[in-house]
Amino acid sequence: MTTPAIGTLLRDWRQRRRMSQLDLALEAEISTRHLSFVETGRAQPSREMLLHLAQALDIPLRERNALLVAAGFAPRFEARAFDAPDMSVAREAVQRVLDGHEPYPALAVDRHWTLLAANRAVMPLLAGVDPSLLSGAVNVLRLSLHPDGLAPRIANLVAHERGSAVVLQHDHGIRHPGGCNARRDGARSVLPGRRSDRPDHARDGVVMSGRGPVLVLRLRGCSGTRKPVQKKKKP
C-alpha cells in the first residue's frame, strides 16, 4: 500500500481537527503561504517543522511517528506496552486517578478499548455478566454491547450503541490500527424491541468534546435503579 504524501497527511489531520489553513498557521506561528506549500508538496517540511505542526494539531505520538516515517525521517517516540516493567510509574499514576473517583466506578482503556485498569467500584456493576466476557483481554465496548454482558441493564442502550459507532468511526478516522469489531457485535446485541426509557435516547449516547466523542453510559442497578458510571478514560 502506497503511503500518502506528507502534505496530504498534514492536510487530512488539519481537516480532521476542523481547522482552516489560517487557523493552523496562526496556531503554529508560520505563514499560510508556507503551510500551503507544505500541504501541496511544493515545500518539504524539516523534521523540526513537522513535529511543530504535529504539536499544533495535537496529533497522538504514535501518529507523529507515522508522519515522520512518511516524510523520510526516523521515528522519534518509543512505544511501550502498558504492562511493561518500566511503565510502573505510569500505571501507578493511572490507578491513583481511578481510585480517586471512588465510590464511583472508573476505568481506563487503551486505543482498542481493551480494559487496562479499574477501581474497586467497577466490579459490583459486573454482577451477572457472562464470565467468558471477563476472561483474557476484556474489550469494554463488546462487554457493554453484548447481550450476555451489560446490554440488558443499560438504560440508554440504543443511544449507547449509536454512540459507540460514533466513537469507533472517530478512532478509525485517526488511523486507529487493528481495533475491535464492537460496532458489528453491537448490531447483534441490541435486544429485539428494546428502546431507551428516555425520550431523547437518539442523542443521549455520546457527548462531543474538544478532544473527540465521549461515551455516556446510564446503567441500571440490579434493583432497576440507575447508577452513574464514570465516563471511560484513555491513558
Side-chain angles (χ1 to χ4, degrees):
M1 183 174 64
T2 303
T3 302
I6 185 60
T8 301
L9 293 175
L10 285 171
R11 184 184 67 246
D12 289 347
W13 272 106
R14 175 177 59 76
Q15 293 174 344
R16 214 170 287 138
R17 297 302 192 220
R18 299 183 180 182
M19 299 176 71
S20 66
Q21 283 191 344
L22 179 59
D23 292 333
L24 179 55
L26 290 173
E27 181 68 24
E29 298 183 339
I30 63 175
S31 70
T32 54
R33 178 183 176 87
H34 181 60
L35 178 58
S36 176
F37 278 19
V38 169
E39 288 189 355
T40 58
R42 297 176 65 183
Q44 182 70 14
S46 65
R47 179 185 176 91
E48 292 71 22
M49 175 57 69
L50 188 55
L51 290 172
H52 181 60
L53 290 172
Q55 177 69 28
L57 289 167
D58 194 23
I59 298 175
L61 300 185
R62 188 186 309 273
E63 304 305 327
R64 296 186 197 190
N65 276 343
L67 288 176
L68 288 169
V69 171
F73 302 111
R76 175 175 179 176
F77 305 100
E78 183 178 354
R80 295 182 179 89
F82 187 69
D83 57 356
D86 56 354
M87 289 289 287
S88 59
V89 175
R91 289 195 300 273
E92 181 180 352
V94 171
Q95 192 62 53
R96 285 186 178 182
V97 171
L98 300 179
D99 292 343
H101 281 280
E102 292 181 357
Y104 301 104
L107 50 85
V109 300
D110 65 11
R111 62 199 176 99
H112 299 299
W113 291 89
T114 302
L115 180 65
L116 297 178
N119 63 12
R120 292 171 296 182
V122 169
M123 290 309 298
L125 297 179
L126 302 180
V129 170
D130 190 315
S132 66
L133 296 174
L134 300 176
S135 62
V138 177
N139 186 277
V140 172
L141 287 184
R142 183 170 183 266
L143 176 64
S144 67
L145 295 175
H146 199 284
D148 294 328
L150 293 176
R153 290 170 48 201
I154 295 178
N156 62 332
L157 178 58
V158 174
H160 180 65
E161 191 210 11
R162 293 174 179 173
S164 299
V166 171
V167 169
L168 288 176
Q169 289 168 3
H170 176 269
D171 287 350
H172 283 288
I174 58 171
R175 292 178 174 80
H176 182 75
C180 63
N181 293 322
R183 173 64 180 130
R184 184 172 59 195
D185 292 343
R188 302 191 188 104
S189 74
V190 177
L191 305 180
R194 182 180 180 89
R195 291 294 182 271
S196 170
D197 55 6
R198 291 175 58 91
D200 57 342
H201 67 268
R203 305 184 302 276
D204 198 31
V206 64
V207 174
M208 298 305 297
S209 71
R211 298 296 299 274
V214 178
L215 278 175
V216 177
L217 178 63
R218 302 183 186 279
L219 188 63
R220 295 188 182 93
C222 295
S223 62
T225 58
R226 292 179 184 175
K227 294 185 179 181
V229 176
Q230 183 67 33
K231 295 170 186 176
K232 306 176 183 76
K233 298 177 180 292
K234 289 185 179 181

